[in-house]
Amino acid sequence: DGKVLPIILLMSRTDQASVLEAKATGANHMLAKPVSAQTLGARIALCFAPRQASAMSNQQYRGAAAR
């Protein structure tokens, strides 16, 4: 029925090769460990927000992943 289940990876490795591998295997979002519950909750909310609101720039992603 066209529904998509978002994949969020919690990663200890954040080098470019690991991030590209995660993207290539289907991950929608990656967060660097340790990650706060607030950051994880916000990322989950973005996954289920309407399409326009869930678009996140690379700059915003990097900021959230660094937390």
Side-chain angles (χ1 to χ4, degrees):
D1 60 8
K3 292 185 179 182
V4 177
L5 180 64
I7 299 170
I8 302 173
L9 294 181
L10 303 178
M11 302 174 58
S12 58
R13 296 177 53 188
T14 58
D15 58 279
Q16 187 172 3
S18 296
V19 171
L20 291 174
E21 182 180 1
K23 280 292 203 183
T25 58
N28 302 98
H29 299 275
M30 284 119 347
L31 295 171
K33 295 190 299 186
V35 61
S36 71
Q38 182 179 11
T39 299
L40 180 57
R43 189 57 59 99
I44 291 169
L46 281 173
C47 288
F48 294 102
R51 197 61 132 160
Q52 304 112 338
S54 67
M56 192 177 217
S57 73
N58 286 336
Q59 186 77 347
Q60 290 171 311
Y61 168 75
R62 287 190 187 106
R67 293 184 193 130

